[in-house]
Amino acid sequence: MRRYIFVPHLLPAISGFEAERLLSLLLSGSKGVHSVSLNVGRLNAEVRVEGDHVVLPGGHVLDEERLRKMIRHKDSVFIIEGRETYRVEVRNGRRYYKLWAPITGRAPTLEISGVHMHRIVEVDPWTDSLMKVNLARVRAGARVLDVCTGLGYTAIASRLRGARYVLTIEKDENVLKIAKANPWSRRLADPQVDIILGDAVEVLPGLPSGSFHVIVHDPPRLSLAGELYSLEFYRELYRVLRRRGILFHYTGNPGGKYRRLNIAKGVAQRLRAVGFKVAYAREALGVIGFK
Ligand SMILES: C[S@@+](CC[C@H](N)C(=O)[O-])C[C@H]1O[C@@H](n2cnc3c(N)ncnc32)[C@H](O)[C@@H]1O
């Protein structure tokens, strides 16, 4: 395990949907300056249509052929660097990671080998993360432990709610590589956010008791990360939380309503067993623990 220095890419990022809009401007022949959404909805910018290409802020030039290539993968995200276009994805052995932007203008999610890491039905990934930190009642001055960094949305949302400090833990460096290319993750580069690259199961025993006001626990589904739902892990969560501290534990909805109830119920039982008082947060598919 080690501290991870997060340096975001600051190059333009364009979703396939945004590329489609640029192409329609280009094909309409309306030369001149146009206001468009770039950076997967994070930036309203002015682009210039000139002859057979579009000029982005920073002078990056996109012609019809490049835009058409991007549109083939409408819900993907591309980084534009001079003449090069990179799709935001990582292949590592049998695992495939990609930044996936299925909802136009909304924060993308991370997809790992076909499993997306945020809710995208009924709620977008960013709103989902805001709900989690609201339910965890992150307040001004709080020290927050964010278990499972992912794209950093819950860590960033905690800071936006006024947390003084966030310690966030991510096991998989490929995930952080994807986050670096995501315009919605840029605020992870924050001196008040420490990122530990390591397994939360190994990191927690090294943290002092009672050192956090709030814990946001946002693990992958139970079938993919059972250790993060175990009694032993919950004991550690309880130990590092201060008295009167609050835990929000996302439990998710794998396999529909019936299974969700059982998973949340099992989580609640084990949280109670280690000392938490528990309430269900059904709207956010989670369980809240009070110490
Ligand atoms: C649902 S995502 C977290 C989403 C994140 N909170 C956000 O706001 O974007 C779950 C993440 O947990 C990571 N993970 C899985 N097992 C882990 C472990 N044992 N320790 C730390 N991170 C882990 C995965 O790599 C994945 O990035």
Side-chain angles (χ1 to χ4, degrees):
M1 88 187 66
R2 65 177 162 93
R3 181 140 176 256
Y4 186 85
I5 307 298
F6 187 84
V7 183
H9 302 319
L10 297 178
L11 293 162
I14 296 186
S15 69
F17 290 109
E18 288 168 337
E20 190 173 42
R21 165 87 180 120
L22 293 175
L23 181 63
S24 74
L25 279 177
L26 186 61
L27 297 181
S28 74
S30 41
K31 291 202 177 85
V33 174
H34 299 269
S35 197
V36 294
S37 156
L38 295 179
N39 285 356
V40 202
R42 284 304 267 174
L43 180 69
N44 285 318
E46 300 205 319
V47 296
R48 237 178 27 255
V49 176
E50 283 178 3
D52 65 351
H53 58 266
V54 182
V55 186
L56 302 182
H60 304 270
V61 171
L62 296 173
D63 61 15
E64 182 177 339
E65 191 189 340
R66 268 177 99 178
L67 288 167
R68 284 202 187 279
K69 277 188 187 151
M70 287 187 241
I71 291 167
R72 264 189 239 143
H73 308 278
K74 254 190 217 153
D75 47 16
S76 289
V77 178
F78 300 87
I79 296 285
I80 309 298
E81 186 173 17
R83 288 171 179 276
E84 303 295 330
T85 310
Y86 306 101
R87 190 161 164 195
V88 182
E89 63 185 352
V90 174
R91 281 176 208 281
N92 187 1
R94 294 169 121 200
R95 294 196 121 195
Y96 174 65
Y97 307 72
K98 78 166 183 186
L99 196 56
W100 187 41
I103 318 172
T104 323
R106 297 301 174 99
T109 184
L110 163 70
E111 196 186 87
I112 306 180
S113 303
V115 180
H116 50 85
M117 291 287 139
H118 303 86
R119 291 173 68 191
I120 51 163
V121 178
E122 290 167 8
V123 65
D124 65 87
W126 182 252
T127 310
D128 179 36
S129 306
L130 292 177
M131 260 160 77
K132 289 169 183 167
V133 303
N134 287 348
L135 285 162
R137 299 185 205 167
V138 173
R139 59 182 190 280
R143 285 175 57 84
V144 176
L145 174 64
D146 178 57
V147 182
C148 295
T149 313
L151 295 178
Y153 295 167
T154 44
I156 295 167
S158 297
R159 283 283 287 148
L160 292 176
R161 256 189 80 103
R164 175 163 52 94
Y165 172 74
V166 179
L167 180 70
T168 178
I169 308 169
E170 172 57 56
K171 175 165 107 164
D172 188 339
E173 189 165 3
N174 293 311
V175 169
L176 297 173
K177 284 184 185 158
I178 297 276
K180 281 177 166 182
N182 177 14
W184 289 78
S185 302
R186 285 183 187 170
R187 280 174 183 251
L188 263 185
D190 174 339
Q192 299 309 317
V193 176
D194 277 333
I195 304 174
I196 303 289
L197 177 60
D199 186 333
V201 173
E202 290 164 17
V203 175
L204 258 77
L207 300 176
S209 299
S211 48
F212 296 95
H213 299 98
V214 170
I215 300 176
V216 181
H217 183 32
D218 193 9
R221 58 178 64 163
L222 175 68
S223 57
L224 298 175
E227 67 285 4
L228 298 179
Y229 293 74
S230 69
L231 200 63
E232 297 69 40
F233 190 70
Y234 292 172
R235 263 194 205 106
E236 282 299 304
L237 292 178
Y238 190 80
R239 184 185 64 76
V240 300
L241 195 61
R242 286 196 184 180
R243 209 162 65 83
R244 296 180 187 278
I246 298 183
L247 160 76
F248 175 80
H249 185 328
Y250 179 70
T251 54
N253 185 23
K257 211 171 179 183
Y258 174 72
R259 279 180 59 95
R260 178 183 92 218
L261 288 178
N262 281 344
I263 288 170
K265 205 169 153 189
V267 165
Q269 273 168 0
R270 289 191 297 286
L271 289 177
R272 275 195 207 99
V274 303
F276 284 103
K277 289 197 172 63
V278 163
Y280 291 98
R282 289 202 167 83
E283 71 283 18
L285 308 184
V287 173
I288 307 173
F290 301 89
K291 179 163 174 178

